[in-house]
Each structure stands twice: as C-alpha cells, then as structure tokens.
Amino acid sequence: MLMSMTGYGKRELENSDISISVELKSINSRYLEVNHKIPRLFSDDEDAMLALVRKKLLRGKIILNVNYTLLNDNLNQINLNENKVNEYINIAKRLHKSKVFKDKLTIDRLLTLPEVISTSTTSSNISYKRILSKSINDAISDLINMRTQEGENLSKDILSRLKKIKKDLALIVKISERTQKEILKNYKKKIKLLFDGNDKIILDDNRLLQEIVIFMEKKDIHEEITRLQSHIDLFVDCIVKGKNEKGKRMTFLLQEFLREINTIGSKTDNIKTSHLVVSIKTEIEKIREQVQNIL
C-alpha cells in the first residue's frame, strides 16, 4: 500500500548518566531534505545519525531535534576560568583609564563573556551510546508507522475516487454508443431536408455516408477511453503492488489521466458527457492533491 511523507516520531530514554530525547518530523517535499539540531555532546555521532535518517526515510523534509539532560551531578560540574577572568578585568581597567568607555564591568556581564564559564562534561566520560542509538531508531520506527497509517488512509480515499472515475467513464461509453446512431440518423435527415426540392442537386447516399463517417471518426472517443482505463489500472497496481517512492510515478499517470479526459471533453457535443468529464477532472484534481503527500 501507499506511504505518506507526513509523519512524527519521538522517543525519550535514560540511564544513570543522561536522559536523551529524539524528535523527528516529516512533511511534504519533492526531494529528501534533512534539517537537524544536534548538541555538541553528540558531534562524533552526528554523521551516523543523519546517514540512518536518510537511509530509512527516503523522501520528504525531515526535521531532527536531539536534546539531553545530565542526570549524574558529577558529570555536570561548572568551572570558572580564573585566567580568562583576570584577562577581561585587566582589559576593562585599561579601557576605563583611557576614558573610551565609562561603564564598569559588572559580574553579570563578566559571566557572559566567552570562555569564562566552562563545564567538565565530555562525551568520553558519559555512557550514552546505547540509548542514543535506540532513541534514534525507535523515533524513526514511530515516524514510519505513522507514515504507513496515513498511507492506508490515502489509499482508501484514492481508490474510492478511482472507482467513481471508472463509473463515470462507463456512463460516457454508454452515452457514446447510444448517441452515435442518433447522430448518424440526424445528420442524414438534416442534409436531406436541406436539399429537398432542389432538383439540380443529386444526393449520393454512399458519398453522404462516407462524409458522415469521417466526421464521426473525428469525434470518436473510444481510443481515449481505452487509454484512460489502462492508466487507471496501472495506477491501482502502483497502489497495491508498487515499490517505494510511488508518488513520482503516480504524478506522471495523473498527467496522462488529464490528457485523455481533456481530449474526450474536446470531442464531445453531448451535455451529459460534458458534465461527466467535469466530474472526472474534479476527482483527478483531488487525487493529485493527495498524491503530493505520497512517498
């Protein structure tokens, strides 16, 4: 069945050292695009995480957010860099003496300056690899499950619309077969009335029939109906049997749908058929909107 590009997955795991939260969102996109926010603590694992996301999610705009909280207080020590503090204070004194700046350096400002405050936390002294790996894999699985469920809903909707299109096509076929004989009869009657009483014009029934047949061939829609029915069968096969990334193939088939139904509409003079053509085009447009979200 189909798989949607829209999905969401989130997992939170922890051990005695750390709590890790992985959140994944996926929305429609023509290509695969991965935006991420990964803490510096996991910089050594970043490439592996992104490679896994790209391998399993295939297409869509993916947003990956990874957050963590340290649970072991011994790993979360805050240190004051006294050498940097003294350097900043000396610079501030010189600037103040030169009267370039009148403001004094306060403690609040000092603590916000680069490299004044540091932590002793490093990835090498934290046990996180196992739960980080499980969190990212579980979040991906959750997203894929949601994509699958959304895909099933899309499948049901699209199949119901295709069923309606085939029903309308069957009506068009019936109307076409019924009206062909009427068209032939009416044209012959009108032409005879036009020349009736004019002895100078000799009406050749065989020639008249030939001209009418040529005209009707230009209006014949059976080839377009046959091709459209074939495209619909291919579309259904794509839903039921096709492999991943079906959206692109479906988009192409829908273009062929429109090509055939537009030709049918341009050839018909029957009001009922014209209304059915509009109904079919409406259903094709609704399917097209749904296909934009298919993987």
Side-chain angles (χ1 to χ4, degrees):
M1 299 297 282
L2 301 181
M3 184 175 288
S4 168
M5 271 191 281
T6 303
Y8 178 81
K10 183 176 182 179
R11 284 301 176 97
E12 296 181 16
L13 293 173
E14 64 179 53
N15 58 23
S16 59
D17 285 349
I18 191 171
S19 173
I20 296 176
S21 170
V22 175
E23 183 181 43
L24 276 166
K25 299 177 184 177
S26 175
I27 57 177
N28 297 357
S29 179
R30 188 174 180 182
Y31 306 105
L32 175 64
E33 177 185 353
V34 182
N35 297 325
H36 62 278
K37 184 179 179 182
I38 300 174
R40 188 184 302 175
L41 180 67
F42 307 129
S43 57
D44 291 343
D45 307 276
E46 182 175 312
D47 289 343
M49 283 191 285
L50 295 178
L52 185 64
V53 168
R54 293 189 180 99
K55 179 182 178 181
K56 292 195 173 184
L57 300 185
L58 302 175
R59 189 174 168 218
K61 183 176 181 180
I62 314 297
I63 301 170
L64 167 65
N65 287 317
V66 182
N67 293 293
Y68 73 92
T69 302
L70 291 175
L71 304 177
N72 187 341
D73 292 337
N74 295 326
L75 300 173
N76 203 15
Q77 298 294 324
I78 298 176
N79 302 312
L80 178 66
N81 190 332
E82 296 184 10
N83 292 331
K84 278 293 178 184
V85 170
N86 291 329
E87 289 177 13
Y88 284 127
I89 290 173
N90 291 332
I91 292 172
K93 286 179 179 179
R94 292 200 300 270
L95 291 172
H96 190 68
K97 286 181 180 180
S98 66
K99 298 182 180 180
V100 175
F101 296 101
K102 294 182 180 180
D103 294 342
K104 293 183 178 180
L105 181 64
T106 64
I107 293 177
D108 289 343
R109 288 187 180 181
L110 180 62
L111 292 177
T112 61
L113 294 173
E115 300 181 34
V116 169
I117 300 295
S118 63
T119 63
S120 59
T121 304
T122 62
S123 59
S124 60
N125 55 18
I126 301 175
S127 174
Y128 72 85
K129 295 282 186 182
R130 186 187 67 81
I131 62 170
L132 177 62
S133 176
K134 183 168 175 53
S135 295
I136 187 75
N137 276 284
D138 288 352
I140 290 172
S141 295
D142 287 347
L143 189 147
I144 291 174
N145 288 337
M146 184 173 178
R147 277 182 163 188
T148 302
Q149 183 60 52
E150 289 291 322
E152 290 177 2
N153 295 334
L154 289 175
S155 297
K156 292 176 183 177
D157 182 76
I158 291 172
L159 288 171
S160 69
R161 296 188 186 282
L162 290 173
K163 185 177 180 180
K164 186 178 186 309
I165 290 174
K166 294 186 80 170
K167 184 179 178 180
D168 288 344
L169 269 182
L171 290 175
I172 290 175
V173 170
K174 286 184 179 180
I175 294 170
S176 175
E177 291 173 348
R178 186 173 65 245
T179 55
Q180 274 194 1
K181 292 181 180 179
E182 294 176 2
I183 291 172
L184 180 61
K185 182 180 177 180
N186 290 336
Y187 272 115
K188 190 173 182 179
K189 183 179 179 181
K190 287 179 181 178
I191 292 172
K192 283 189 175 182
L193 287 173
L194 181 64
F195 293 106
D196 191 30
N198 193 334
D199 297 334
K200 295 181 179 180
I201 299 177
I202 299 174
L203 190 60
D204 185 342
D205 284 352
N206 291 330
R207 177 63 178 171
L208 175 60
L209 184 60
Q210 183 180 1
E211 292 296 329
I212 292 174
V213 168
I214 291 172
F215 175 79
M216 291 181 64
E217 283 180 351
K218 293 180 180 179
K219 294 290 184 179
D220 185 71
I221 57 175
H222 284 88
E223 287 186 11
E224 288 78 10
I225 289 173
T226 300
R227 284 196 294 267
L228 181 50
Q229 289 172 335
S230 176
H231 294 327
I232 292 172
D233 291 340
L234 287 173
F235 201 99
V236 173
D237 284 343
C238 191
I239 293 175
V240 178
K241 302 176 184 177
K243 298 179 181 180
N244 289 330
E245 297 188 77
K246 305 176 183 182
K248 295 178 182 178
R249 178 167 174 77
M250 288 181 167
T251 299
F252 170 77
L253 286 172
L254 286 174
Q255 291 173 351
E256 297 303 305
F257 281 23
L258 281 173
R259 189 196 309 277
E260 303 301 341
I261 198 63
N262 282 332
T263 304
I264 292 171
S266 67
K267 285 186 174 184
T268 184
D269 296 321
N270 185 281
I271 296 299
K272 290 183 179 179
T273 299
S274 296
H275 289 166
L276 289 168
V277 166
V278 171
S279 175
I280 290 173
K281 289 174 73 173
T282 299
E283 294 302 324
I284 291 173
E285 178 59 26
K286 289 177 180 178
I287 293 173
R288 188 189 66 81
E289 292 174 1
Q290 299 283 41
V291 166
Q292 289 180 347
N293 192 34
I294 291 173
L295 189 63

PDB file of all heavy atoms in Angstrom, residues 104-133:
ATOM      1  N   LYS A 104      31.313  50.437  33.897  1.00  0.00           N
ATOM      2  CA  LYS A 104      32.172  49.477  34.588  1.00  0.00           C
ATOM      3  C   LYS A 104      31.772  48.049  34.230  1.00  0.00           C
ATOM      4  O   LYS A 104      30.632  47.777  33.859  1.00  0.00           O
ATOM      5  CB  LYS A 104      32.062  49.672  36.108  1.00  0.00           C
ATOM      6  CG  LYS A 104      32.628  51.001  36.586  1.00  0.00           C
ATOM      7  CD  LYS A 104      32.557  51.105  38.102  1.00  0.00           C
ATOM      8  CE  LYS A 104      33.169  52.430  38.578  1.00  0.00           C
ATOM      9  NZ  LYS A 104      33.104  52.554  40.052  1.00  0.00           N
ATOM     10  N   LEU A 105      32.737  47.131  34.331  1.00  0.00           N
ATOM     11  CA  LEU A 105      32.487  45.726  34.067  1.00  0.00           C
ATOM     12  C   LEU A 105      31.867  45.089  35.300  1.00  0.00           C
ATOM     13  O   LEU A 105      32.501  44.959  36.336  1.00  0.00           O
ATOM     14  CB  LEU A 105      33.796  45.003  33.707  1.00  0.00           C
ATOM     15  CG  LEU A 105      33.687  43.517  33.385  1.00  0.00           C
ATOM     16  CD1 LEU A 105      32.839  43.295  32.140  1.00  0.00           C
ATOM     17  CD2 LEU A 105      35.083  42.912  33.197  1.00  0.00           C
ATOM     18  N   THR A 106      30.575  44.685  35.181  1.00  0.00           N
ATOM     19  CA  THR A 106      29.875  44.057  36.302  1.00  0.00           C
ATOM     20  C   THR A 106      30.057  42.546  36.249  1.00  0.00           C
ATOM     21  O   THR A 106      30.477  41.978  35.239  1.00  0.00           O
ATOM     22  CB  THR A 106      28.376  44.371  36.253  1.00  0.00           C
ATOM     23  OG1 THR A 106      27.822  43.794  35.066  1.00  0.00           O
ATOM     24  CG2 THR A 106      28.131  45.885  36.226  1.00  0.00           C
ATOM     25  N   ILE A 107      29.717  41.902  37.371  1.00  0.00           N
ATOM     26  CA  ILE A 107      29.834  40.450  37.436  1.00  0.00           C
ATOM     27  C   ILE A 107      28.901  39.782  36.416  1.00  0.00           C
ATOM     28  O   ILE A 107      29.277  38.800  35.761  1.00  0.00           O
ATOM     29  CB  ILE A 107      29.525  39.937  38.864  1.00  0.00           C
ATOM     30  CG1 ILE A 107      30.613  40.423  39.836  1.00  0.00           C
ATOM     31  CG2 ILE A 107      29.414  38.413  38.896  1.00  0.00           C
ATOM     32  CD1 ILE A 107      30.358  40.041  41.276  1.00  0.00           C
ATOM     33  N   ASP A 108      27.699  40.334  36.274  1.00  0.00           N
ATOM     34  CA  ASP A 108      26.740  39.748  35.323  1.00  0.00           C
ATOM     35  C   ASP A 108      27.307  39.746  33.905  1.00  0.00           C
ATOM     36  O   ASP A 108      27.193  38.757  33.178  1.00  0.00           O
ATOM     37  CB  ASP A 108      25.428  40.540  35.344  1.00  0.00           C
ATOM     38  CG  ASP A 108      24.661  40.317  36.645  1.00  0.00           C
ATOM     39  OD1 ASP A 108      24.982  39.331  37.338  1.00  0.00           O
ATOM     40  OD2 ASP A 108      23.754  41.107  36.939  1.00  0.00           O
ATOM     41  N   ARG A 109      27.906  40.855  33.511  1.00  0.00           N
ATOM     42  CA  ARG A 109      28.495  40.932  32.173  1.00  0.00           C
ATOM     43  C   ARG A 109      29.708  40.019  32.052  1.00  0.00           C
ATOM     44  O   ARG A 109      29.918  39.372  31.015  1.00  0.00           O
ATOM     45  CB  ARG A 109      28.909  42.363  31.861  1.00  0.00           C
ATOM     46  CG  ARG A 109      27.740  43.304  31.612  1.00  0.00           C
ATOM     47  CD  ARG A 109      28.248  44.648  31.136  1.00  0.00           C
ATOM     48  NE  ARG A 109      27.152  45.574  30.892  1.00  0.00           N
ATOM     49  CZ  ARG A 109      27.323  46.817  30.451  1.00  0.00           C
ATOM     50  NH1 ARG A 109      28.550  47.278  30.211  1.00  0.00           N
ATOM     51  NH2 ARG A 109      26.285  47.594  30.244  1.00  0.00           N
ATOM     52  N   LEU A 110      30.507  39.980  33.125  1.00  0.00           N
ATOM     53  CA  LEU A 110      31.722  39.170  33.097  1.00  0.00           C
ATOM     54  C   LEU A 110      31.410  37.693  32.870  1.00  0.00           C
ATOM     55  O   LEU A 110      32.080  37.010  32.096  1.00  0.00           O
ATOM     56  CB  LEU A 110      32.486  39.349  34.424  1.00  0.00           C
ATOM     57  CG  LEU A 110      33.802  38.578  34.574  1.00  0.00           C
ATOM     58  CD1 LEU A 110      34.802  39.025  33.513  1.00  0.00           C
ATOM     59  CD2 LEU A 110      34.384  38.764  35.967  1.00  0.00           C
ATOM     60  N   LEU A 111      30.347  37.214  33.520  1.00  0.00           N
ATOM     61  CA  LEU A 111      29.998  35.792  33.419  1.00  0.00           C
ATOM     62  C   LEU A 111      29.475  35.406  32.039  1.00  0.00           C
ATOM     63  O   LEU A 111      29.448  34.217  31.703  1.00  0.00           O
ATOM     64  CB  LEU A 111      28.959  35.434  34.480  1.00  0.00           C
ATOM     65  CG  LEU A 111      29.450  35.486  35.939  1.00  0.00           C
ATOM     66  CD1 LEU A 111      28.312  35.193  36.897  1.00  0.00           C
ATOM     67  CD2 LEU A 111      30.611  34.517  36.164  1.00  0.00           C
ATOM     68  N   THR A 112      29.053  36.375  31.254  1.00  0.00           N
ATOM     69  CA  THR A 112      28.548  36.075  29.907  1.00  0.00           C
ATOM     70  C   THR A 112      29.635  36.113  28.840  1.00  0.00           C
ATOM     71  O   THR A 112      29.380  35.750  27.685  1.00  0.00           O
ATOM     72  CB  THR A 112      27.442  37.080  29.504  1.00  0.00           C
ATOM     73  OG1 THR A 112      27.987  38.400  29.489  1.00  0.00           O
ATOM     74  CG2 THR A 112      26.274  37.025  30.476  1.00  0.00           C
ATOM     75  N   LEU A 113      30.833  36.519  29.212  1.00  0.00           N
ATOM     76  CA  LEU A 113      31.916  36.623  28.231  1.00  0.00           C
ATOM     77  C   LEU A 113      32.441  35.231  27.860  1.00  0.00           C
ATOM     78  O   LEU A 113      32.405  34.306  28.685  1.00  0.00           O
ATOM     79  CB  LEU A 113      33.052  37.484  28.794  1.00  0.00           C
ATOM     80  CG  LEU A 113      32.694  38.968  29.024  1.00  0.00           C
ATOM     81  CD1 LEU A 113      33.833  39.695  29.740  1.00  0.00           C
ATOM     82  CD2 LEU A 113      32.390  39.652  27.691  1.00  0.00           C
ATOM     83  N   PRO A 114      32.943  35.073  26.636  1.00  0.00           N
ATOM     84  CA  PRO A 114      33.403  33.758  26.171  1.00  0.00           C
ATOM     85  C   PRO A 114      34.499  33.156  27.043  1.00  0.00           C
ATOM     86  O   PRO A 114      35.411  33.866  27.489  1.00  0.00           O
ATOM     87  CB  PRO A 114      33.938  34.046  24.756  1.00  0.00           C
ATOM     88  CG  PRO A 114      33.227  35.288  24.330  1.00  0.00           C
ATOM     89  CD  PRO A 114      33.033  36.111  25.575  1.00  0.00           C
ATOM     90  N   GLU A 115      34.368  31.855  27.308  1.00  0.00           N
ATOM     91  CA  GLU A 115      35.364  31.033  27.987  1.00  0.00           C
ATOM     92  C   GLU A 115      35.535  31.353  29.467  1.00  0.00           C
ATOM     93  O   GLU A 115      36.455  30.840  30.106  1.00  0.00           O
ATOM     94  CB  GLU A 115      36.730  31.135  27.286  1.00  0.00           C
ATOM     95  CG  GLU A 115      36.699  30.673  25.838  1.00  0.00           C
ATOM     96  CD  GLU A 115      38.067  30.753  25.185  1.00  0.00           C
ATOM     97  OE1 GLU A 115      39.061  30.522  25.879  1.00  0.00           O
ATOM     98  OE2 GLU A 115      38.126  31.062  23.982  1.00  0.00           O
ATOM     99  N   VAL A 116      34.657  32.189  30.025  1.00  0.00           N
ATOM    100  CA  VAL A 116      34.736  32.466  31.464  1.00  0.00           C
ATOM    101  C   VAL A 116      34.205  31.273  32.250  1.00  0.00           C
ATOM    102  O   VAL A 116      34.801  30.840  33.239  1.00  0.00           O
ATOM    103  CB  VAL A 116      33.960  33.750  31.820  1.00  0.00           C
ATOM    104  CG1 VAL A 116      33.814  33.894  33.338  1.00  0.00           C
ATOM    105  CG2 VAL A 116      34.669  34.965  31.252  1.00  0.00           C
ATOM    106  N   ILE A 117      33.058  30.745  31.786  1.00  0.00           N
ATOM    107  CA  ILE A 117      32.440  29.587  32.432  1.00  0.00           C
ATOM    108  C   ILE A 117      32.595  28.382  31.509  1.00  0.00           C
ATOM    109  O   ILE A 117      32.350  28.466  30.308  1.00  0.00           O
ATOM    110  CB  ILE A 117      30.953  29.833  32.714  1.00  0.00           C
ATOM    111  CG1 ILE A 117      30.779  31.040  33.650  1.00  0.00           C
ATOM    112  CG2 ILE A 117      30.294  28.595  33.301  1.00  0.00           C
ATOM    113  CD1 ILE A 117      31.349  30.821  35.036  1.00  0.00           C
ATOM    114  N   SER A 118      32.969  27.265  32.075  1.00  0.00           N
ATOM    115  CA  SER A 118      33.078  26.033  31.298  1.00  0.00           C
ATOM    116  C   SER A 118      32.577  24.877  32.145  1.00  0.00           C
ATOM    117  O   SER A 118      32.469  24.977  33.363  1.00  0.00           O
ATOM    118  CB  SER A 118      34.526  25.789  30.863  1.00  0.00           C
ATOM    119  OG  SER A 118      35.356  25.598  32.005  1.00  0.00           O
ATOM    120  N   THR A 119      32.246  23.782  31.453  1.00  0.00           N
ATOM    121  CA  THR A 119      31.831  22.572  32.167  1.00  0.00           C
ATOM    122  C   THR A 119      32.842  21.468  31.885  1.00  0.00           C
ATOM    123  O   THR A 119      33.530  21.471  30.860  1.00  0.00           O
ATOM    124  CB  THR A 119      30.440  22.108  31.707  1.00  0.00           C
ATOM    125  OG1 THR A 119      30.515  21.755  30.335  1.00  0.00           O
ATOM    126  CG2 THR A 119      29.395  23.196  31.907  1.00  0.00           C
ATOM    127  N   SER A 120      32.890  20.547  32.779  1.00  0.00           N
ATOM    128  CA  SER A 120      33.843  19.442  32.639  1.00  0.00           C
ATOM    129  C   SER A 120      33.249  18.271  31.870  1.00  0.00           C
ATOM    130  O   SER A 120      33.870  17.233  31.718  1.00  0.00           O
ATOM    131  CB  SER A 120      34.285  18.963  34.027  1.00  0.00           C
ATOM    132  OG  SER A 120      33.162  18.532  34.773  1.00  0.00           O
ATOM    133  N   THR A 121      32.000  18.487  31.375  1.00  0.00           N
ATOM    134  CA  THR A 121      31.312  17.399  30.686  1.00  0.00           C
ATOM    135  C   THR A 121      31.908  17.147  29.308  1.00  0.00           C
ATOM    136  O   THR A 121      32.027  18.055  28.496  1.00  0.00           O
ATOM    137  CB  THR A 121      29.818  17.744  30.522  1.00  0.00           C
ATOM    138  OG1 THR A 121      29.263  18.014  31.801  1.00  0.00           O
ATOM    139  CG2 THR A 121      29.076  16.586  29.883  1.00  0.00           C
ATOM    140  N   THR A 122      32.259  15.901  29.026  1.00  0.00           N
ATOM    141  CA  THR A 122      32.703  15.497  27.690  1.00  0.00           C
ATOM    142  C   THR A 122      32.044  14.172  27.357  1.00  0.00           C
ATOM    143  O   THR A 122      31.614  13.428  28.247  1.00  0.00           O
ATOM    144  CB  THR A 122      34.230  15.337  27.625  1.00  0.00           C
ATOM    145  OG1 THR A 122      34.636  14.308  28.528  1.00  0.00           O
ATOM    146  CG2 THR A 122      34.934  16.637  27.963  1.00  0.00           C
ATOM    147  N   SER A 123      31.957  13.890  26.061  1.00  0.00           N
ATOM    148  CA  SER A 123      31.298  12.653  25.645  1.00  0.00           C
ATOM    149  C   SER A 123      32.049  11.410  26.123  1.00  0.00           C
ATOM    150  O   SER A 123      31.451  10.351  26.278  1.00  0.00           O
ATOM    151  CB  SER A 123      31.173  12.623  24.116  1.00  0.00           C
ATOM    152  OG  SER A 123      32.456  12.709  23.518  1.00  0.00           O
ATOM    153  N   SER A 124      33.318  11.556  26.364  1.00  0.00           N
ATOM    154  CA  SER A 124      34.135  10.392  26.731  1.00  0.00           C
ATOM    155  C   SER A 124      33.834   9.871  28.130  1.00  0.00           C
ATOM    156  O   SER A 124      34.086   8.705  28.417  1.00  0.00           O
ATOM    157  CB  SER A 124      35.628  10.741  26.626  1.00  0.00           C
ATOM    158  OG  SER A 124      35.946  11.810  27.500  1.00  0.00           O
ATOM    159  N   ASN A 125      33.296  10.731  29.001  1.00  0.00           N
ATOM    160  CA  ASN A 125      33.023  10.273  30.369  1.00  0.00           C
ATOM    161  C   ASN A 125      31.532  10.087  30.651  1.00  0.00           C
ATOM    162  O   ASN A 125      31.113  10.060  31.793  1.00  0.00           O
ATOM    163  CB  ASN A 125      33.648  11.212  31.408  1.00  0.00           C
ATOM    164  CG  ASN A 125      33.202  12.657  31.230  1.00  0.00           C
ATOM    165  OD1 ASN A 125      32.207  12.912  30.570  1.00  0.00           O
ATOM    166  ND2 ASN A 125      33.939  13.583  31.813  1.00  0.00           N
ATOM    167  N   ILE A 126      30.722   9.998  29.571  1.00  0.00           N
ATOM    168  CA  ILE A 126      29.286   9.762  29.727  1.00  0.00           C
ATOM    169  C   ILE A 126      28.905   8.492  28.974  1.00  0.00           C
ATOM    170  O   ILE A 126      29.287   8.298  27.820  1.00  0.00           O
ATOM    171  CB  ILE A 126      28.460  10.942  29.179  1.00  0.00           C
ATOM    172  CG1 ILE A 126      28.828  12.236  29.901  1.00  0.00           C
ATOM    173  CG2 ILE A 126      26.962  10.668  29.337  1.00  0.00           C
ATOM    174  CD1 ILE A 126      28.142  13.450  29.328  1.00  0.00           C
ATOM    175  N   SER A 127      28.109   7.664  29.603  1.00  0.00           N
ATOM    176  CA  SER A 127      27.604   6.449  28.964  1.00  0.00           C
ATOM    177  C   SER A 127      26.279   6.795  28.271  1.00  0.00           C
ATOM    178  O   SER A 127      25.251   6.936  28.923  1.00  0.00           O
ATOM    179  CB  SER A 127      27.392   5.357  30.009  1.00  0.00           C
ATOM    180  OG  SER A 127      26.781   4.238  29.442  1.00  0.00           O
ATOM    181  N   TYR A 128      26.317   6.940  26.950  1.00  0.00           N
ATOM    182  CA  TYR A 128      25.101   7.356  26.231  1.00  0.00           C
ATOM    183  C   TYR A 128      24.908   6.632  24.900  1.00  0.00           C
ATOM    184  O   TYR A 128      23.831   6.704  24.297  1.00  0.00           O
ATOM    185  CB  TYR A 128      25.135   8.862  25.973  1.00  0.00           C
ATOM    186  CG  TYR A 128      26.120   9.283  24.920  1.00  0.00           C
ATOM    187  CD1 TYR A 128      25.777   9.270  23.574  1.00  0.00           C
ATOM    188  CD2 TYR A 128      27.408   9.683  25.266  1.00  0.00           C
ATOM    189  CE1 TYR A 128      26.690   9.645  22.596  1.00  0.00           C
ATOM    190  CE2 TYR A 128      28.324  10.064  24.297  1.00  0.00           C
ATOM    191  CZ  TYR A 128      27.955  10.043  22.971  1.00  0.00           C
ATOM    192  OH  TYR A 128      28.861  10.402  22.007  1.00  0.00           O
ATOM    193  N   LYS A 129      25.913   5.963  24.375  1.00  0.00           N
ATOM    194  CA  LYS A 129      25.876   5.422  23.020  1.00  0.00           C
ATOM    195  C   LYS A 129      24.663   4.515  22.783  1.00  0.00           C
ATOM    196  O   LYS A 129      23.971   4.631  21.758  1.00  0.00           O
ATOM    197  CB  LYS A 129      27.152   4.633  22.732  1.00  0.00           C
ATOM    198  CG  LYS A 129      28.435   5.463  22.724  1.00  0.00           C
ATOM    199  CD  LYS A 129      28.570   6.233  21.431  1.00  0.00           C
ATOM    200  CE  LYS A 129      29.923   6.939  21.350  1.00  0.00           C
ATOM    201  NZ  LYS A 129      30.050   7.728  20.098  1.00  0.00           N
ATOM    202  N   ARG A 130      24.404   3.615  23.713  1.00  0.00           N
ATOM    203  CA  ARG A 130      23.340   2.630  23.507  1.00  0.00           C
ATOM    204  C   ARG A 130      21.978   3.307  23.453  1.00  0.00           C
ATOM    205  O   ARG A 130      21.175   3.037  22.545  1.00  0.00           O
ATOM    206  CB  ARG A 130      23.359   1.573  24.612  1.00  0.00           C
ATOM    207  CG  ARG A 130      22.365   0.427  24.378  1.00  0.00           C
ATOM    208  CD  ARG A 130      22.297  -0.495  25.576  1.00  0.00           C
ATOM    209  NE  ARG A 130      21.716   0.174  26.729  1.00  0.00           N
ATOM    210  CZ  ARG A 130      20.395   0.330  26.912  1.00  0.00           C
ATOM    211  NH1 ARG A 130      19.537  -0.130  26.013  1.00  0.00           N
ATOM    212  NH2 ARG A 130      19.933   0.940  27.987  1.00  0.00           N
ATOM    213  N   ILE A 131      21.686   4.186  24.405  1.00  0.00           N
ATOM    214  CA  ILE A 131      20.346   4.793  24.437  1.00  0.00           C
ATOM    215  C   ILE A 131      20.180   5.839  23.326  1.00  0.00           C
ATOM    216  O   ILE A 131      19.066   6.068  22.857  1.00  0.00           O
ATOM    217  CB  ILE A 131      20.019   5.407  25.821  1.00  0.00           C
ATOM    218  CG1 ILE A 131      20.988   6.537  26.180  1.00  0.00           C
ATOM    219  CG2 ILE A 131      19.996   4.344  26.895  1.00  0.00           C
ATOM    220  CD1 ILE A 131      20.527   7.302  27.414  1.00  0.00           C
ATOM    221  N   LEU A 132      21.281   6.455  22.887  1.00  0.00           N
ATOM    222  CA  LEU A 132      21.178   7.378  21.753  1.00  0.00           C
ATOM    223  C   LEU A 132      20.807   6.604  20.494  1.00  0.00           C
ATOM    224  O   LEU A 132      19.923   7.009  19.735  1.00  0.00           O
ATOM    225  CB  LEU A 132      22.495   8.126  21.545  1.00  0.00           C
ATOM    226  CG  LEU A 132      22.518   9.079  20.334  1.00  0.00           C
ATOM    227  CD1 LEU A 132      21.483  10.180  20.494  1.00  0.00           C
ATOM    228  CD2 LEU A 132      23.916   9.673  20.148  1.00  0.00           C
ATOM    229  N   SER A 133      21.467   5.485  20.278  1.00  0.00           N
ATOM    230  CA  SER A 133      21.187   4.655  19.110  1.00  0.00           C
ATOM    231  C   SER A 133      19.757   4.129  19.130  1.00  0.00           C
ATOM    232  O   SER A 133      19.046   4.159  18.120  1.00  0.00           O
ATOM    233  CB  SER A 133      22.168   3.482  19.059  1.00  0.00           C
ATOM    234  OG  SER A 133      21.867   2.613  18.001  1.00  0.00           O
TER     235      SER A 133
END
